[in-house]
């Protein structure tokens, strides 16, 4: 296939678009791959669409290879199934909702768990039908609060979403592993640098879950990895290793102290260390109780929740929210304090919480036998040596404290450091949330119904175009991995001489016959303009047909390394074909 | 490629779906190609998606062959461009409208003229850039009042829409012809029976326009064709051939007659024929003036319009609306008559209309020198021998009278007969409606701006799946044309014998190696069930591997003709390959 620049619908830009911050956004616009149509809405111009299609092809091949069967749902979906699972409201403002001419409610699908579950229920009935993996490559919609970075976070995007249906947990684990392996092959084939991190499952429900994050400084997702092992996780998914429990017998009694002028942890620690208590305190010895209120989906009333964390750590709201999902979380207002006078601001302790029936969840570090300085439920008073498991008994633990660089890795090897990435894939063991909602059962061998268990797996296909651009570019432009870019070779006709033009045409034709996808710059433009465009567009191999032709040579340039070599005209086709089949 | 029925996500149905009326809908659901998700919303199951992709591939090849360049726009589009062209409101209830989280207006694109025009304006500036043809294969949305017949008329569907941009009318005519030829190749390759009819352009604006209609008794579109020529047209697009003008000199004077009890054309004609006027009248001698009101898009006020047609014909509202588009048309209410007392119901004549400045358009048959019996603007009174061009002068002509079988063909050859079809393609010479709205100009060779002229061309890609099913089926099921169906050959393992199963596997593997797409029925089911499914699914060639295998033969059945032949096992692969490459 030969694509001629003289007629290609492409105009490159010399300037970065005003709204672009990250390299992929700047370069994909400048090189004419995409154009902005609306906030978070982009059109794919010819070169961009080709890259998208190439990525889709890789994704399809690997999905087919694990037995995935492609189907396709509408994007415009009725409200009812999403109402049944609660997602109609849980999705909040991120869901595009609309009405049809009759006033019926519709949405633009963000993901399709409901529809896949219903479809499998509609077609399959026997245990012999299972397992099955279904997928689609489909346009998805999310009304992002802050669409950003071009096609990295759009409001309309292409996603591969697949769903596995199994008879039991072991089956689900197998389907999950199949997807995990397929995703590794997909991202490896694309040449991406990425990590697999433990993840929370968000509004999707379910248990085991991992994210594939492309390593990128510009990424929106923060994750942590261990310095001493392969451990990596989303900050929301980091599980705090609890310390050993300690005996409660024979430990000092809890004592209430008058601690005037200690509104902060810092002033409290200072005060205690100046008081003559025979030991030194740090912020880590204090127990900070943070009050929030939560509301379960579909409920009207809020419930108080106290979260206890060591005083040297802040409550990380994203971690707190992830732990409590799908419940909503809100901070208390003055009226809440007024309604609960036992909450003494700045001096809240476990005593009043438990006496008044407030749900009390604590950081996993607060185990039986640990002693704490905390509020005494009375202004200007704190209690020292309040012993967990003796003086108070929390209702459970919660991952809500901030994760810090230097924290011990949850797997016991090394410490954590932070890094940034872009989510490119997500795999979930959903379990039975959706099959319960729609009663998706198979008739088992014993004629009893078996509730099906589901997995849900996504790849941000259109986002991958930007992620590749993010990882593969230099100061001159894009640098596509072989096989993924819009062409395999960029033949530049450099010179006005007719024999040069003919030479370029001939080489392009010969390459095309060999199955090489050729971008031929046959425009009436200066070599300088053509070279700059070739660097910007980023096809892996550039063949310059110019003055050397008279001596029987052309120049072959590797876009990634910048390496140039003179190749005899008669050898150039073989040379490029061999580069391409590596 | 081998697709195994044992794991294929497919369950065929023995019963027609309750809501299905047309054969394609029944069969595509029964054979497991599509499933209903919402009114006018269908999911594509594996077999259906394959047919859709095969059709898309044919469409893309032919679009690429005429130099079309594929790009892709979002389906979720901002209001502003559609506001600029008036289509935001003109589209009425058929447009899905929604708001984002910030309250900004969006729509789901029904077609993309605005976006393509804006994109070309954004990229191109010189006359040297033109012409250009851009296209997309994209999901479109229309909130149909009556979604029907499965995927024949859905609310979410796949369309190929392309747009040509030319410097002048001759260029537009060339781009139009390129598309016309490409469409002929596409529909011919799909093996469809279709007609090309002259069409009106609907809400799209523009002038020359033709529709491709697949011949189908179940079609929604009525068209007429000539018995004596190749002429075919949408009823809305039929142009009435005017009779010859006649002299007005020396003709009898117009005379007002008292005609009591003549509220209808029939009673009037009766009355006149009983009166002693020396000649016989028919309904065709009378002139019926029908009053409506019209409103231009974006306007608030309605304007009266009188439409004069021969009394033997009704006003066809669809033809009237098509003639007046994009203006709205409404019937008069009592209050309108009250506000215009010169309108004497049942007796409206040209006199009062013209005296009161009412716009008056007449059927093309009402030419200078024709004499008419019509209302005298006075109850119970008619005027006879009112001469067009002498006694009244219409403001112009309008195509609003009904078209009838037996009418003379507009091309002068033969008479018209009615037929039914399904619109599968539509080509328009749009002209400058959209380029005017967005000032899309090219800088000409003389440095003066040239306003670009546009064409717009659409193919209902997903609808074609149903249209093919409509034209290619029999009482047993679907009968796909070669190359378009979900597989090339259906290998049925008929028998429980292990050697039979192995024989089927071997033949399937050999066929697959030769590039034949194989559907292999390796299920544990009776031969009867398998045969019925094979007929229903409609793959063109069925190979039955059964008891004959012991004697070294298999049965090859042609799905379309029902012809069966015994073929030696060793020859069957060659045989099927040769069938397939025909």
């Amino acid at each position: 296939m030969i694509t001629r620049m003289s007629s290609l619908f492409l105009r490159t830009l010399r300037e970065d678009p005003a709204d672009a911050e990250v390299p992929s956004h700047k370069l994909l616009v400048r090189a004419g791959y995409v154009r902005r149509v609306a906030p978070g809405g982009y059109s794919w111009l010819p070169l961009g669409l080709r890259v998208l299609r190439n990525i889709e092809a890789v994704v399809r091949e690997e999905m087919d290879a694990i037995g995935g069967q492609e189907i396709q749902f509408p994007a415009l979906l009725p409200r009812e199934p999403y109402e049944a699972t609660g997602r109609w409201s849980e999705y909040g403002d991120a869901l595009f909702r609309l009405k049809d001419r009759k006033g019926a409610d519709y949405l633009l699908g963000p993901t399709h768990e409901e529809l896949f579950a219903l479809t499998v229920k509609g077609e399959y009935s026997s245990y012999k039908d299972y397992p099955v993996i279904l997928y689609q490559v489909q346009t998805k919609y999310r009304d992002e609060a802050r669409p950003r970075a071009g096609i990295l976070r759009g409001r309309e995007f292409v996603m591969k979403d697949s769903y596995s249906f199994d008879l039991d947990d072991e089956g689900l684990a197998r389907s999950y592993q199949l997807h995990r392996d397929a995703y590794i092959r997909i991202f490896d084939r694309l040449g991406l640098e990425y990590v697999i991190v433990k993840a929370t499952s968000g509004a999707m429900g379910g248990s085991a879950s991992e994210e594939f994050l492309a390593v990128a400084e510009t990424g929106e997702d923060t994750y942590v990895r261990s310095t001493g092992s392969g451990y990596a996780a989303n900050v929301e998914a980091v599980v705090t290793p609890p310390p050993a429990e300690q005996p409660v017998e024979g430990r000092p009694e809890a004592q209430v102290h008058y601690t005037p002028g200690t509104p902060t942890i810092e002033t409290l620690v200072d005060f205690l260390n100046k008081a003559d208590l025979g030991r030194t305190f740090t912020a880590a010895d204090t127990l900070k109780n943070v009050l929030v209120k939560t509301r379960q989906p579909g409920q009207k009333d809020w419930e108080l929740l106290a979260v206890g964390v060591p005083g040297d750590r802040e409550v990380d709201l994203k971690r707190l929210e992830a732990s409590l999902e799908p419940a909503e979380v809100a901070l208390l207002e003055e009226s809440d304090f007024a309604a609960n006078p036992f909450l003494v601001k700045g001096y809240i302790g476990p005593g009043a919480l438990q006496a008044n029936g407030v749900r009390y969840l604590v950081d996993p570090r607060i185990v039986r036998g640990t002693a704490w300085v905390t509020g005494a439920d009375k202004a200007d008073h704190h209690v020292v040596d309040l012993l967990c498991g003796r003086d108070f008994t929390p209702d459970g633990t919660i991952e809500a404290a901030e994760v810090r660089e230097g924290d011990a890795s949850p797997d016991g090897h090394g410490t954590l450091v932070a890094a940034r990435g872009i989510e490119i894939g997500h795999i979930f063991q959903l379990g039975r949330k959706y099959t319960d909602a729609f009663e998706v059962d198979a008739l088992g061998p014993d004629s009893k119904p078996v509730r099906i268990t589901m997995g849900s797996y996504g790849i941000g296909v259109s986002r991958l175009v930007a992620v590749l651009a993010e990882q593969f570019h230099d100061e001159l432009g894009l640098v596509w991995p072989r096989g993924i870019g819009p062409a395999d070779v960029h033949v530049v006709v450099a010179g006005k001489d007719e024999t040069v033009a003919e030479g370029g045409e001939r080489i392009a034709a010969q390459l095309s016959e060999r199955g090489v996808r050729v971008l031929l710059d046959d425009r009436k433009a200066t070599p300088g303009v053509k070279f700059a465009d070739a660097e910007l567009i980023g096809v892996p191999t550039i063949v310059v047909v110019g003055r050397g032709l008279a001596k029987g040579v052309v120049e072959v340039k590797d876009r990634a390394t910048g390496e140039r070599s003179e190749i005899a005209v008669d050898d150039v086709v073989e040379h490029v074909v061999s580069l391409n089949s590596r």
Side-chain angles (χ1 to χ4, degrees), chain A:
Chain A
M1 191 184 66
I2 302 178
T3 304
R4 290 170 188 280
M5 295 275 281
S6 59
S7 55
L8 182 62
F9 188 64
L10 169 74
R11 292 294 177 266
T12 58
L13 309 175
R14 293 289 155 245
E15 303 291 327
D16 288 333
D19 62 334
E21 287 170 10
V22 300
S24 63
H25 187 188
K26 290 177 189 171
L27 290 170
L28 289 170
V29 171
R30 278 188 48 207
Y33 283 67
V34 299
R35 287 288 180 264
R36 184 177 181 278
V37 168
Y42 282 77
S43 59
W44 297 90
L45 298 192
L47 296 183
L49 190 58
R50 287 192 194 171
V51 177
L52 179 65
R53 296 274 185 262
N54 292 342
I55 294 171
E56 286 178 7
V58 170
V59 170
R60 285 199 169 95
E61 276 177 33
E62 296 298 343
M63 287 308 301
D64 292 345
I66 62 167
Q69 302 188 52
E70 188 175 359
I71 66 178
Q72 178 130 22
F73 280 97
L76 181 68
L77 300 171
R79 169 177 177 161
E80 292 71 22
Y82 286 78
E83 185 74 45
T85 58
R87 291 213 298 168
W88 172 262
S89 46
E90 274 170 32
Y91 242 102
D93 283 347
L95 193 66
F96 281 109
R97 298 177 183 82
L98 68 159
K99 287 182 187 294
D100 75 357
R101 66 196 296 151
K102 291 178 177 165
D105 281 319
Y106 284 80
L107 59 96
L108 299 181
T111 59
H112 280 64
E113 279 75 3
E114 285 82 353
L115 279 295
F116 276 81
L118 282 168
T119 295
V120 168
K121 178 186 169 88
E123 306 299 314
Y124 278 180
S125 55
S126 159
Y127 74 97
K128 295 177 192 161
D129 296 330
Y130 293 90
V132 63
I133 294 172
L134 301 173
Y135 75 96
Q136 59 179 354
V137 177
Q138 212 236 9
T139 305
K140 296 268 188 285
Y141 296 86
R142 287 187 204 159
D143 196 355
E144 297 283 351
R146 283 172 300 280
R148 66 180 279 275
I151 53 172
L152 264 185
R153 182 174 287 277
R155 300 200 291 176
E156 171 169 343
F157 52 95
V158 180
M159 188 168 157
K160 186 286 298 174
D161 48 330
S162 49
Y163 306 90
S164 64
F165 296 85
D166 280 279
L167 293 168
D168 52 33
D169 294 352
E170 294 69 38
L172 172 56
R174 271 192 303 274
S175 296
Y176 183 88
Q177 191 63 38
L178 280 175
H179 275 88
R180 195 175 194 277
D181 294 344
Y183 279 29
I184 289 171
R185 281 191 297 272
I186 289 166
F187 299 132
D188 284 352
R189 283 179 64 181
L190 297 177
L192 285 167
E193 187 189 350
Y194 63 94
V195 292
I196 305 174
V197 304
K198 295 190 195 315
T200 55
S201 51
M204 313 286 300
S207 51
S209 163
E210 287 168 294
E211 276 179 24
F212 290 72
L213 298 180
V215 176
E217 281 174 30
T218 53
E220 275 196 312
D221 288 295
T222 302
Y223 67 97
V224 290
R225 57 183 179 76
S226 167
T227 55
S229 71
Y231 176 87
N234 248 348
V235 171
E236 285 84 351
V238 171
V239 175
T240 308
E245 295 190 358
Q246 298 170 36
V248 295
E249 296 77 25
R251 304 282 294 279
E253 291 281 299
Q255 299 170 336
V256 174
H257 290 263
Y258 175 56
T259 56
T262 58
T264 64
I265 298 287
E266 199 182 8
T267 51
L268 172 63
V269 169
D270 257 11
F271 182 96
L272 293 174
N273 285 336
K274 280 174 190 158
D276 192 15
L277 295 175
R279 49 187 155 143
T280 307
F281 292 86
T282 71
D285 298 317
T286 69
L287 168 60
K288 179 161 63 177
N289 295 305
V290 176
L291 265 289
V292 294
K293 52 188 180 180
T294 68
R295 182 163 70 175
Q296 294 302 321
Q299 299 294 310
K300 228 185 89 188
D301 292 333
W302 292 90
E303 190 196 355
L304 282 183
L305 171 69
V307 176
V309 297
D312 63 333
R313 291 185 187 259
E314 297 303 320
V315 167
D316 179 332
L317 270 178
K318 282 175 86 174
R319 276 171 54 79
L320 175 67
E321 282 170 352
S323 294
L324 294 173
E325 268 192 346
E328 283 175 272
V329 184
L331 299 178
L332 294 202
E333 295 156 29
E334 278 309 317
S335 58
D336 295 308
F337 283 102
N340 296 287
F342 59 89
L343 296 175
V344 184
K345 261 202 217 175
Y347 300 90
I348 300 170
L353 296 172
Q354 304 210 273
N356 289 281
V358 176
R359 193 162 160 242
Y360 185 40
L361 302 176
V362 299
D363 186 79
R365 292 172 189 85
I366 300 162
V367 296
R368 182 179 170 84
T370 52
W372 302 94
V373 179
T374 189
D377 297 312
K378 192 170 156 190
D380 294 336
H381 287 75
H382 281 91
V383 57
V384 177
D385 279 329
L386 196 75
L387 212 61
C388 182
R390 178 189 71 187
D391 303 324
F392 69 101
T393 307
D395 297 315
T397 61
I398 186 167
E399 293 291 349
E402 61 178 326
V403 172
R404 291 201 295 235
E405 295 215 7
D407 281 353
S409 176
D411 68 353
H413 302 288
T415 56
L416 298 180
V417 290
R420 298 186 77 77
I422 303 166
E423 185 185 336
I424 51 177
H426 204 160
I427 52 178
F428 289 111
Q429 292 192 23
L430 270 184
R432 298 181 177 81
K433 166 171 175 172
Y434 295 90
T435 53
D436 280 345
F438 301 115
E439 299 183 337
V440 185
D441 293 333
L443 210 60
D446 55 359
S447 293
K448 285 185 186 154
V450 178
R451 183 62 39 98
I452 296 301
T453 182
M454 242 178 113
S456 156
Y457 318 88
I459 288 182
V461 176
S462 51
R463 168 179 286 186
L464 280 175
V465 177
V467 169
L468 284 166
E470 204 66 35
Q471 289 196 352
F472 298 99
H473 71 267
D474 60 22
E475 67 288 357
L476 296 175
L478 298 160
V479 187
W480 295 106
R482 287 196 188 280
I484 303 300
D488 300 314
V489 58
H490 193 140
V491 176
V492 176
V493 174
K496 292 183 179 174
D497 197 345
E498 193 143 316
T499 55
V500 169
E502 284 167 12
E505 292 281 347
R506 198 173 54 244
I507 291 168
Q510 290 167 349
L511 286 167
S512 177
E513 266 170 38
R514 297 290 297 275
V516 177
R517 300 172 302 141
V518 181
L519 188 59
L520 173 63
D521 197 343
D522 58 346
R523 293 177 297 171
K524 285 177 189 150
T526 64
V529 164
K530 292 184 176 183
F531 294 152
D533 276 346
E535 305 282 4
L536 181 59
I537 290 167
V539 171
T541 304
I542 302 169
V543 174
V544 181
V545 184
R547 272 176 304 185
L549 195 68
K551 298 181 297 174
V553 294
V554 296
E555 186 185 278
V556 175
K557 180 174 175 182
D558 183 278
R559 173 68 187 87
T561 63
E563 214 175 298
R564 297 154 190 271
S565 44
E566 287 209 332
I567 305 281
V569 170
D570 293 344
D571 300 338
V572 69
V573 171
E574 276 318 316
H575 180 73
V576 171
V577 167
S578 76
L579 286 177
N580 215 38
S581 56
R582 262 185 213 166

